[in-house]
Amino acid sequence: MSDTRPTGLFPPDTIRRFREMGAWTDETIDQVFRDQVAARGDALALVDPANNRNLVGTEPRRLSWNEVDAEVDFLAARLLDLEVKPGDVIGVQMPNGVELVTLYLAAWRIGAVISPLAMQYREYEVVGMGSTAQFSILVTVPEFAGRRPAEAIAAVREHIPTLRRIVTLTSAPADQHAEGVTHLISAPASDADRAAVAAHGHVADPNECLTICWTSGTESAPKGVPRAHYDWLSFAWAGVDAPRLTADDVLLNPFPMINMAAFVGKLLPWLRTGAVLVQHHPFDAATFFGQIATERVTYTVAPPALLLQLLRNTDLRSRIDLSSLTRVGAGSAPLQPVTVSGWQNEMNIAIINFFGSNEGIGLLSSPEDFPDPSDRAKYFPRYGAPGITWASRVADWITLKLVDPDTGEEITEPGRSGELHIDGPMVFAGYVNGSAVSSPFDDEGFLRSGEMFQIAGD
């Protein structure tokens, strides 16, 4: 990639290959969203965390698809007022909530790029990522759980040379404003706002960059992972197909909406299906279980440790209402077979095992592919294996291989460990220039995952 901000991410040969496969189309995320607005209208679309007042100082809100669209146009018009142009990178450090989603959609409507930042990041991380991705503006909240992120960022803004403006966004007037910070209050679009956005007339190319997410940085400095409409929208089908989501579902999202887990697990499936998206952040057990009961949540995600605790603690389970849940996703750590079996046999709730990465790994073990819950806890589908079909459409697009890390030999026999390499339409194009030293791809263009697997069974 060049040393400028990313625009078209994938070369023509890659685009041709995945379009011929049917994995990539002319769709863009804004068009998928507009289609749901037209189809769903006044149906409920988006719900704030129940404890929103304690987190950011404003009352929780509930918006229909039409109301979300109106606020998207309002924010798109405000971004245009701030002279945001197609390809500009907007750093976003906001907790999960209604405004986070509407801001993302507003930026994509006018062709801007979103770079989400975790709320726990402080000035050091913000400066490093902002400089690498070349933030034009940075949007945050005036306060979050007792902290004032805008003030902290304003104190170091000169260390991000491209940063023109710091913005705070809330749904109601804020009590305090940091000096030199622009404050926006989300609202429905006026006729003039809609006219300004229409006059801007951005026509998205599905190959243009939408997001720059960040690796965890546990082993080195975080690396910027750019993604386009093409790869995000194909990746999204994994998050739709494994739990079999429909417009009748209510999705509860406790993952920070900053990377693959929340984008593929909740945001994009919400857009694809027209379901209801309920936001939650940071994790608070009482609020989380209260939202499941109150909102009649049908699908959420939870860490394996919490799932095992609930299984073992029957007294706790007797005090919470999980009757609306039909399935739960779990990742970030290995699942124990007893957890998956217990939830299925004792509570009639299927657990979906997933393993993924920002760069494009996406393996999901669904009840359709692994009816035996013990198998579902231990195994992932070997996409591309000859003579085997899988429930998700992404299986037809992905090729996996295991490679001996010492010899480079491809492993085809069971029981021998090798590094997982993957090729498919959800694999990213490459790190933002300057945020990685070596290529993450092998000589055949497969993404090297860095994770060791074995082929199981015959």
Side-chain angles (χ1 to χ4, degrees):
M1 299 176 64
S2 70
D3 60 358
T4 59
R5 287 167 292 187
T7 51
L9 296 184
F10 295 94
D13 287 349
T14 301
I15 295 172
R16 187 179 308 111
R17 178 162 69 105
F18 291 129
R19 286 182 68 98
E20 289 174 354
M21 191 182 289
W24 289 357
T25 69
D26 290 330
E27 283 185 313
T28 64
I29 287 182
D30 185 56
Q31 188 57 56
V32 171
F33 170 60
R34 289 178 186 270
D35 289 346
Q36 291 296 355
V37 172
R40 307 289 293 163
D42 291 330
L44 181 63
L46 190 57
V47 180
D48 258 329
N51 57 342
N52 210 55
R53 170 159 286 283
N54 292 335
L55 296 176
V56 296
T58 58
E59 294 298 327
R61 300 194 296 152
R62 309 168 68 83
L63 270 62
S64 70
W65 288 93
N66 282 333
E67 290 168 332
V68 173
D69 185 56
E71 295 204 5
V72 166
D73 264 338
F74 173 86
L75 288 176
R78 301 293 76 74
L79 293 175
L80 293 176
D81 291 343
L82 295 173
E83 300 182 338
V84 174
K85 298 177 176 58
D88 280 356
V89 180
I90 302 174
V92 179
Q93 190 176 35
M94 297 177 63
N96 289 346
V98 165
E99 291 79 43
L100 181 68
V101 175
T102 55
L103 176 63
Y104 284 3
L105 293 169
W108 297 334
R109 181 159 287 182
I110 63 170
V113 180
I114 290 291
S115 185
L117 306 174
M119 287 306 301
Q120 64 265 32
Y121 288 163
R122 297 299 197 263
E123 294 89 330
Y124 176 80
E125 291 89 353
V126 172
V127 167
M129 295 172 184
S131 300
T132 298
Q134 300 178 35
F135 291 173
S136 293
I137 69 172
L138 193 148
V139 184
T140 186
V141 287
E143 62 176 303
F144 175 74
R147 288 176 46 219
R148 295 195 171 277
E151 292 180 4
I153 295 168
V156 296
R157 65 184 302 169
E158 70 273 12
H159 297 294
I160 307 175
T162 56
L163 187 63
R164 295 186 285 104
R165 197 180 298 266
I166 299 169
V167 178
T168 53
L169 173 61
T170 60
S171 63
D175 294 335
Q176 298 183 30
H177 303 295
E179 185 176 353
V181 174
T182 301
H183 183 59
L184 296 179
I185 302 172
S186 196
S190 65
D191 290 343
D193 293 332
R194 292 192 183 277
V197 175
H200 179 257
H202 177 71
V203 178
D205 183 325
N207 194 33
E208 71 185 33
C209 186
L210 279 172
T211 60
I212 300 173
C213 298
W214 300 91
T215 61
S216 63
T218 53
E219 298 179 355
S220 61
K223 299 181 284 291
V225 178
R227 285 196 169 276
H229 299 263
Y230 275 141
D231 44 331
W232 265 140
L233 286 172
S234 62
F235 210 165
W237 287 119
V240 172
D241 289 346
R244 291 289 185 261
L245 298 180
T246 71
D248 295 327
D249 278 303
V250 179
L251 317 179
L252 176 57
N253 172 45
F255 283 171
M257 200 167 274
I258 59 173
N259 55 26
M260 180 280 304
F263 275 72
V264 174
K266 294 294 180 288
L267 177 64
L268 296 175
W270 167 68
L271 290 173
R272 276 292 191 196
T273 62
V276 176
L277 176 63
V278 181
Q279 293 279 56
H280 178 95
H281 182 209
F283 185 80
D284 175 80
T287 303
F288 181 75
F289 294 127
Q291 286 178 290
I292 290 176
T294 301
E295 303 294 344
R296 305 304 295 161
V297 170
T298 60
Y299 177 61
T300 189
V301 292
L306 176 63
L307 297 176
L308 183 59
Q309 178 188 6
L310 283 171
L311 180 65
R312 290 175 170 172
N313 192 333
T314 55
D315 178 63
L316 175 60
R317 275 165 45 200
S318 70
R319 290 184 278 113
I320 59 179
D321 181 3
L322 302 177
S323 61
S324 61
L325 277 182
T326 58
R327 56 269 200 235
V328 176
S332 74
L335 274 165
Q336 295 187 34
V338 66
T339 303
V340 184
S341 297
W343 273 71
Q344 182 162 311
N345 298 332
E346 296 182 29
M347 292 183 275
N348 198 31
I349 298 174
I351 291 181
I352 298 164
N353 191 9
F354 60 82
F355 171 78
S357 74
N358 278 329
E359 290 88 342
I361 306 294
L363 306 179
L364 290 91
S365 297
S366 68
E368 288 79 12
D369 289 332
F370 297 94
D372 184 323
S374 295
D375 287 346
R376 204 180 319 137
K378 296 182 291 184
Y379 303 123
F380 290 103
R382 186 184 169 205
Y383 297 139
I388 301 177
T389 58
W390 304 98
S392 176
R393 73 199 76 189
V394 304
D396 298 329
W397 305 334
I398 296 173
T399 303
L400 304 177
K401 64 180 180 179
L402 297 186
V403 177
D404 187 305
D406 296 320
T407 66
E409 173 192 5
E410 182 175 353
I411 296 170
T412 58
E413 69 271 22
R416 181 180 165 194
S417 295
E419 183 186 25
L420 177 70
H421 292 207
I422 184 169
D423 176 64
M426 66 284 301
V427 173
F428 81 133
Y431 295 113
V432 171
N433 190 54
S435 60
V437 176
S438 59
S439 171
F441 303 103
D442 67 18
D443 292 340
E444 294 182 296
F446 281 61
L447 174 65
R448 302 192 304 260
S449 73
E451 302 287 345
M452 302 297 286
F453 282 80
Q454 292 182 0
I455 298 171
D458 297 331

